[in-house]
Amino acid sequence: MRRVPAPEPIGTLPVNLPLPTAAKLAKPDLTAERPSRAEAEAAVRTLLLWAGDDPEREGLLDTPARVARAYEEFFSGYKEDPVALLARSFEETDGYDEMVVLRDIRLESHCEHHMVPIIGRVHVAYLPQERVVGISKLARVVEAYARRLQIQEKLTAQIANCIQETLQPRGVAVVIEAAHQCMTTRGVHKPGVTMMTSRMLGEFREDAGLRREFLALVKNGAPAPEA
């Protein structure tokens, strides 16, 4: 079984890994031929049979089509380019150079190991370097990466790396708090457990006081939704 690394404790200094290039941060290459909608629906019917039910009974007749449509929404992030979402920025800031913080962004993702929901919230901050970006774009970057099969550690890094590489700010901080249905509704069955991960780049990595200020700004948010 593949071992998943432990999440970074909040406020600690992560290992200084090189940032990926903008090309690696963009939407994934899906040039390989994808199955058709009909093939996807047939796969759902197979799963219904394997689960022990009858896909031809009235209540399940439309389930394969519904599941296919739901998957298009759940995993729409594969069609998004997070780098492009941050392409437009603004320089008229009158010299603003303090933190920009977006707190309590709703997170809805799916575990890549069991394909069950990950539900929580994301806190994002950056230190502008002469330019800022529309705050809705930060939320869209979160959504673009979240609407893919994920593990929380990778999701945290992808969001932070994308903002740092694209906007080139003085620093980026990302904290994710989430509940994973892969451990709350199956397996160990531990409801109420929240996983926390963080990624600090630039001045947030180097300045402990700045990290403390960011964490103080986000710690008083509402409790993370339970999965």
Side-chain angles (χ1 to χ4, degrees), residues 45 48-49 53-62 64:
R45 280 190 286 272
L48 291 172
L49 283 167
D53 215 320
D54 177 10
E56 298 303 319
R57 69 177 177 84
E58 182 181 17
L60 294 178
L61 281 176
D62 294 328

Side-chain angles (χ1 to χ4, degrees), residues 63-225:
T63 295
R66 291 191 182 106
V67 171
R69 288 194 299 271
Y71 270 39
E72 282 183 327
E73 183 177 348
F74 293 157
F75 306 120
S76 59
Y78 289 113
K79 299 178 182 178
E80 293 281 352
D81 183 349
V83 172
L85 292 171
L86 299 176
R88 186 182 181 189
S89 59
F90 307 94
E91 296 182 358
E92 293 183 2
T93 62
D94 284 349
Y96 183 84
D97 60 359
E98 298 293 329
M99 252 187 281
V100 176
V101 181
L102 204 58
R103 194 180 78 177
D104 297 330
I105 304 169
R106 168 81 174 183
L107 170 67
E108 299 174 2
S109 190
H110 283 77
C111 164
E112 68 180 31
H113 302 143
H114 301 96
M115 298 181 71
V116 293
I118 301 170
I119 305 295
R121 55 185 176 149
V122 183
H123 314 295
V124 176
Y126 72 100
L127 286 166
Q129 184 156 255
E130 299 181 351
R131 61 192 184 121
V132 298
V133 69
I135 58 173
S136 68
K137 304 304 182 185
L138 296 175
R140 289 184 180 276
V141 167
V142 170
E143 188 169 82
Y145 284 119
R147 290 185 177 273
R148 303 176 184 183
L149 293 170
Q150 284 287 6
I151 61 171
Q152 187 172 322
E153 298 92 333
K154 181 174 71 174
L155 174 61
T156 307
Q158 286 177 328
I159 295 168
N161 294 345
C162 179
I163 296 170
Q164 182 68 41
E165 179 71 17
T166 309
L167 293 183
Q168 295 290 307
R170 290 163 23 236
V172 174
V174 175
V175 169
I176 297 181
E177 309 170 57
H180 295 238
Q181 284 193 6
C182 58
M183 73 169 292
T184 63
T185 63
R186 59 158 301 280
V188 71
H189 286 279
K190 295 296 181 184
V193 175
T194 299
M195 178 176 176
M196 301 187 70
T197 48
S198 68
R199 173 77 157 157
M200 307 287 169
L201 300 174
E203 292 185 23
F204 285 102
R205 180 189 294 272
E206 299 160 2
D207 187 335
L210 191 62
R211 285 198 306 279
R212 284 194 296 270
E213 181 183 352
F214 164 66
L215 295 171
L217 287 171
V218 303
K219 74 175 183 179
N220 294 320

Side-chain angles (χ1 to χ4, degrees), residues 4-76:
V4 179
E8 296 174 2
I10 297 300
T12 60
L13 291 178
V15 177
N16 191 12
L17 298 175
L19 291 177
T21 63
K24 291 183 179 179
L25 294 166
K27 63 182 180 181
D29 182 8
L30 299 177
T31 53
E33 184 177 351
R34 297 176 63 187
S36 67
R37 170 66 72 90
E39 289 172 317
E41 293 182 13
V44 176
R45 280 190 286 272
T46 298
L47 282 174
L48 291 172
L49 283 167
W50 178 82
D53 215 320
D54 177 10
E56 298 303 319
R57 69 177 177 84
E58 182 181 17
L60 294 178
L61 281 176
D62 294 328
T63 295
R66 291 191 182 106
V67 171
R69 288 194 299 271
Y71 270 39
E72 282 183 327
E73 183 177 348
F74 293 157
F75 306 120
S76 59

